[in-house]
Amino acid sequence: MRIALFGPPGAGKGTQTALLEPMFGLQSVSTGNLIRSAVHDDSPFGRELGAYIEDGGLVPDEIVQKLAEDRLREYDFNNFILDGFPRTVVQAVWLRELLETNKAPIQVVISMAVPDEIIIERLSQRRIHKITCEPYHLTLRPPPADIDPDLIVQRSDDRIEAIKVRLDTYRKMTRPVADFYQKSGLLTEISGDGTSTEIRNQIIKVLESRSVLQVA
Ligand code: AMP
């Protein structure tokens, strides 16, 4: 299976990826996680990436493409779920070529639509585990009491000023990627407003209706 989850920041792509991975034996290509783990390395490269993401802007296409390609190659271009990639039309065109060359085109792109007010609420309430990157929500899914509170942090790009930049960047740079996939006939939009189980079930229905998932 070769699928992509598309949507604004805070749409729940990471949450759904984590649910679908074990369910269908998928491996994720989450460029956000790849970038954050490079930032944690505290190398000159990591610091360069950190400066890009800090305020909510995008990392340059060539850098993200290299990170994604290395990961896709590791997975033999199969059984992958893309989370937060591609995020520009340049990346989408590049990816189409890479996957066509490797005879592994994307089968479906699921776009998760969520209103801005919900995104802002979700992201400003989000906290993550410093080491595992497990996401929590201060009220809906608070971090368990037995976790050292010092390990629960707010991503710098989840500050309200950075969220606004990310939403703006999404509209200008990333939303056109949906049109790109719409024209290729690969896009299906679902609502990303609901419980994670409801949304997961909607995604499974899309996979079935697109014959990506054979129903037993
Ligand atoms: P995410 O965890 O997917 O929200 O990504 C966090 C940040 O990493 C984004 O706000 C961008 O700065 C950067 N990033 C992640 N994926 C990409 C991508 N495909 N292209 C450019 N920048 C990206």
Side-chain angles (χ1 to χ4, degrees):
M1 196 191 295
R2 298 176 301 276
I3 62 175
L5 295 186
F6 177 86
K13 302 183 293 293
T15 302
Q16 290 305 317
T17 297
L19 291 175
L20 297 167
E21 265 186 295
M23 204 168 206
F24 300 116
L26 297 172
Q27 311 190 80
S28 67
V29 179
S30 161
T31 42
N33 286 347
L34 292 171
I35 292 164
R36 272 186 297 281
S37 76
V39 171
H40 286 150
D41 285 350
D42 202 24
S43 61
F45 177 59
R47 280 190 288 279
E48 182 192 343
L49 295 189
Y52 287 120
I53 67 173
E54 174 86 15
D55 297 322
L58 292 182
V59 170
D61 292 327
E62 316 77 61
I63 297 180
V64 183
Q65 286 165 192
K66 170 85 175 76
L67 291 173
E69 179 171 354
D70 288 351
R71 200 33 74 97
L72 284 164
R73 229 170 252 295
E74 220 174 275
Y75 299 162
D76 281 334
F77 297 97
N78 216 346
N79 288 325
F80 61 76
I81 175 165
L82 305 180
D83 160 16
F85 179 81
R87 237 165 162 118
T88 64
V89 173
V90 170
Q91 292 174 18
V93 171
W94 172 88
L95 179 68
R96 183 175 58 190
E97 273 175 38
L98 177 76
L99 295 181
E100 267 172 13
T101 308
N102 288 281
K103 301 191 172 27
I106 290 182
Q107 295 164 294
V108 61
V109 177
I110 297 169
S111 170
M112 302 166 68
V114 182
D116 280 7
E117 318 79 77
I118 294 181
I119 290 174
I120 292 168
E121 193 275 338
R122 276 186 192 173
L123 293 182
S124 56
Q125 296 285 304
R126 179 163 71 180
R127 297 294 182 273
I128 57 162
H129 191 287
K130 225 174 173 172
I131 297 162
T132 63
C133 294
E134 179 78 17
Y136 298 100
H137 181 284
L138 287 180
T139 48
L140 299 179
R141 188 170 177 264
D146 59 350
I147 296 185
D148 176 356
D150 288 345
L151 291 176
I152 303 297
V153 294
Q154 183 176 36
R155 277 169 47 173
S156 60
D157 60 351
D158 280 344
R159 289 169 297 117
I160 189 72
E161 315 79 56
I163 294 172
K164 287 182 179 153
V165 175
R166 287 162 75 196
L167 282 173
D168 200 42
T169 306
Y170 170 77
R171 270 189 285 273
K172 290 189 183 128
M173 306 295 293
T174 306
R175 187 67 214 171
V177 174
D179 304 333
F180 173 88
Y181 284 121
Q182 180 78 55
K183 282 186 197 127
S184 327
L186 289 176
L187 194 84
T188 297
E189 184 166 297
I190 61 167
S191 164
D193 183 10
T195 67
S196 51
T197 309
E198 283 163 359
I199 295 159
R200 185 203 59 189
N201 291 343
Q202 282 193 72
I203 294 176
I204 293 172
K205 271 199 197 130
V206 173
L207 298 178
E208 284 170 358
S209 69
R210 291 249 178 185
S211 305
V212 174
L213 193 67
Q214 303 305 330
V215 201

